[in-house]
Amino acid sequence: TATTEIYTLSLHDALPIFLALDHPRDRLSVGVLASDSDDGTEDAFRVALHRLESAGVRTTFVRKDFGYRIPDGVPRWEPSIQPERRRILALSRNHLLFAALRDEQWVLWVDVDVIEYPRDIIRTLLGAGADIVQPDCVQSPGGRSFDLNAWTDRGAFHLDDYREYERIELHAVGGTMLLVNADRHRDGLVWPAYRHGVVNPRARARRGENGADLPGEVETEGLGMMAYDLGIGIVGLPGVQIVHE
């Protein structure tokens, strides 16, 4: 749904940061997915991936259209479009996961609009010693959490509420940056394109237009619910910050 200029800017900013990671390039692989776009996004991705390949990074490009478009003039955060938009996001993540995952030990999910993170971010997240780890995504260093899908207590608290702690247990996750043990994906941990956690006590209880409760969570928060159902804990690192455009 973004314009070519936005994606090109994000990739232009993100590539030098990615290539500056203090992680062996021959141990890195990158997968991206483009869908429902005819604005040059695919070309921008392919150019970026070629640069990564030239630097010794293994790459995978996936094209998968879902026939979904955000209506003209409607911002992507408009509440009325979220159920379908987030269903498509979940499907997109799963298609990318199954197309790109090969022999990797870990999967680092990174939003294309994340433009700044420490060079040692991979080592830091791995050092948490957990199967799922999320840093705090902000729009300015020290600012409030931007990724509000990472929460505790049914959405009452976010990572910026725990700045005095080195690590916390998260109940749900966001997708701006998330480290996942690849074997947990192989065990069945995916991004639900439906409301997962109907009987999960961590899920929020919300009401639909007809007044009925709408339990469960989709996409990123849904992965959090599914993780706990699979017996997988989630660690949040309030003091480790990444910057979103």
Side-chain angles (χ1 to χ4, degrees), residues 106 125-133 167 179 181 233-235:
W106 294 88
L125 298 180
L126 288 172
D131 282 335
I132 305 177
V133 186
R167 57 190 284 158
L179 181 74
N181 185 324
I234 304 169
V235 168

Side-chain angles (χ1 to χ4, degrees), residues 99-121:
L101 184 61
R102 284 178 265 181
D103 59 351
E104 292 82 0
Q105 294 176 297
W106 294 88
V107 178
L108 182 66
W109 296 92
V110 185
D111 191 314
V112 70
D113 294 323
V114 171
I115 59 172
E116 183 179 332
Y117 43 84
R119 293 183 65 248
D120 63 351
I121 188 67

